[in-house]
Amino acid sequence: MDSPSSTRKPRRGDRLEGMILRYDRRGLAHGSSGDYTFSLRTGVPGDRLGFQVHKRRRHHLDGRSAELIEEGAARVQAPCRHSESCGGCAFQSCDYGVQLEQKHLLVSEALSAAGLTDLPEVEAVLGCENPWRYRNKMEFTFGNRRWVAPHEPEGVDADFAVGLHAPGLYLKVIDLAECHIVFEQGEAILGTARELAREQQLPLWDIREHVGFLRHLVLRHGVHTGEVMVNVVTSEENCALFEPFARGLLEAHPEITTLIQSINEGVADVAVGEREIVLHGPGYIEEELLGLRFRISARSFFQTNTLQAERLFEIVREEAALNGDEVVYDLYSGAGTIALMVAPAVREVLAFEQVADAVADARLNAERNEVRNVRFFEGDVLTEIDATLAPDSVLARPDVVLVDPPRAGLHPKMVGKLLELAPERLVYVSCNLHNGAQDIAHLIEGGYRIQRIRPVDLFPHTPHVECVVTLTR
Ligand SMILES: C[S@@+](CC[C@H](N)C(=O)[O-])C[C@H]1O[C@@H](n2cnc3c(N)ncnc32)[C@H](O)[C@@H]1O
């Protein structure tokens, strides 16, 4: 490895040193080294690192094979042995307070990248009281192509893994012996699933050849109810293979309140099935949020950090500033959480969601919580909203709209529909402000103004940050 002379440009293989300054929205650590900026998959703001140049693009270098020269003040001991290889929590070597400051910067960057200036101050990111064991849902992958660490001896067993995909390596799965963000019983169930799959010699899915039996292990937990769902995604039903595996899980974990086998015969690497077979329990779990009880089935979206979702929904309720007489639209309503939470404070809520199971859960949730002023509409929100906009529609127009779209943000046509709906107040909940900020920029062009920007951390140790942006007309 060469060090570049002061006159020539750095080349692949050169070794340089530099200081990490910040994280980016993909979780990469960025720093500066002389006239160049660089990015690495590792490092904590404040660290001084040596690295090898992998690629040069103008004044930016992609680095590899980093080596810590001097620890920064923000560096902490990562509790997980997989922290350097697993992409699940890229920031776990960084002090949690510094993570929150970094997320604050990411929010500001996303807003300015969308051309949004002259805004109210971005408020401090509301952090978690406990940033560990916060995930009430985890999707693990079974795979026959294990990611092998550079220090492992040659010939190591590389055809068996249950865990998460290695970052940037879609084909490889890290065999996770521990995971500190999943709920506690979840980690133990992961271990049992691994042992049983080995003992029973169950074929693990080959993501390239599309053969094998076990595909995904999806775990869900009701934090306030203690209920646990295990959903095993397999490539076919095959009772002879599945029953002993299911029995083993239930015997080892009496805390499992429902066990589902989902059959995914397709090639797409998704942890849902075309068909579900309930082998134990009711096929769903229940969770409580801010005093309401929710039924959650395998396909329903539900916020993955229960305690922090409660903080998020309190903020949404505050920002909606309801006085008891409004018509509220909840767009992208999932299992009805936000709709049911605001219902007691308004005249009526109209909620829109496309996943049929989520809408079924939502209707049941309304009934069981004795909420009678919410109507749920099933279908693509874009088409469903058209019905409310039709001149002969009997549906009331909204005073307040709450939108909580998926990571991609709003469909481009949806912004136009929101402008036609023209609510006085619009609360945009974004789980990916990089996309959300573009939507917000269009809403501002259409006559809205931002009132408040309140980020909430639902995903410690990852680059993700949720943000509630309140707009008024
Ligand atoms: C981020 S989740 C929000 C769910 C809910 N607000 C909550 O907090 O539990 C986004 C939801 O949008 C739904 N969705 C995605 N695209 C949609 C579309 N085109 N029309 C209606 N719903 C959609 C998803 O199924 C998911 O339930």
Side-chain angles (χ1 to χ4, degrees), residues 352-356 359 377-384:
F352 301 83
E353 164 64 44
Q354 72 178 2
V355 173
V359 175
F377 296 82
E378 181 190 320
D380 184 340
V381 65
L382 203 59
T383 13
E384 295 298 311

Side-chain angles (χ1 to χ4, degrees), residues 229-388:
M229 175 193 288
V230 174
N231 177 13
V232 185
V233 184
T234 59
S235 58
E236 55 170 329
E237 186 168 343
N238 203 330
C239 303
L241 283 186
F242 195 69
E243 268 176 19
F245 181 75
R247 208 172 331 114
L249 282 174
L250 291 170
E251 277 168 13
H253 297 281
E255 70 273 22
I256 298 174
T257 53
T258 201
L259 178 77
I260 300 168
Q261 180 186 12
S262 293
I263 319 296
N264 176 2
E265 292 174 349
V267 294
D269 187 37
V270 287
V272 281
E274 300 103 32
R275 207 152 51 88
E276 284 169 16
I277 305 165
V278 178
L279 290 141
H280 171 73
Y284 56 82
I285 55 163
E286 297 200 357
E287 177 62 304
E288 275 169 20
L289 281 186
L290 298 175
L292 292 170
R293 205 163 167 100
F294 291 91
R295 172 176 124 161
I296 311 160
S297 37
R299 286 176 210 227
S300 286
F301 173 91
F302 200 78
Q303 296 288 348
T304 50
N305 180 337
T306 302
L307 300 181
Q308 209 61 352
E310 292 187 302
R311 304 289 82 74
L312 176 75
F313 293 146
E314 277 168 345
I315 290 177
V316 171
R317 233 168 21 188
E318 258 172 61
E319 291 305 310
L322 303 162
N323 64 24
D325 199 35
E326 293 91 346
V327 172
V328 174
Y329 282 15
D330 175 12
L331 310 184
Y332 308 90
S333 52
T337 38
I338 295 180
L340 298 187
M341 267 169 223
V342 297
V346 302
R347 181 151 34 109
E348 188 182 25
V349 185
L350 273 57
F352 301 83
E353 164 64 44
Q354 72 178 2
V355 173
D357 285 3
V359 175
D361 282 354
R363 288 190 176 128
L364 210 104
N365 289 332
E367 215 175 291
R368 299 183 59 205
N369 289 288
E370 298 181 4
V371 175
R372 296 186 223 290
N373 58 341
V374 182
R375 275 189 280 172
F376 291 98
F377 296 82
E378 181 190 320
D380 184 340
V381 65
L382 203 59
T383 13
E384 295 298 311
I385 283 292
D386 273 340
T388 72

Side-chain angles (χ1 to χ4, degrees), residues 140 142 160 162 175-178 184-199 217 219 245 249 252-253:
F140 295 111
F142 292 98
F160 184 99
V162 197
D175 197 37
L176 289 183
E178 57 188 308
E184 207 146 340
Q185 302 97 315
E187 192 183 42
I189 295 169
L190 169 71
T192 306
R194 172 185 294 102
E195 278 167 33
L196 291 170
R198 259 195 198 286
E199 268 167 36
L217 176 75
L219 308 175
F245 181 75
L249 282 174
H253 297 281

Side-chain angles (χ1 to χ4, degrees), residues 51-91:
F51 64 94
Q52 201 178 334
V53 175
H54 182 68
K55 226 186 236 170
R56 188 189 69 230
R57 288 179 240 157
R58 291 181 173 216
H59 284 278
H60 186 80
L61 309 169
D62 286 346
R64 296 271 163 94
S65 311
E67 163 206 336
L68 186 60
I69 296 171
E70 198 183 325
E71 282 189 7
R75 182 170 274 274
V76 295
Q77 180 66 41
C80 179
R81 78 181 83 167
H82 303 291
S83 68
E84 285 298 313
S85 49
C86 172
C89 355
F91 297 174

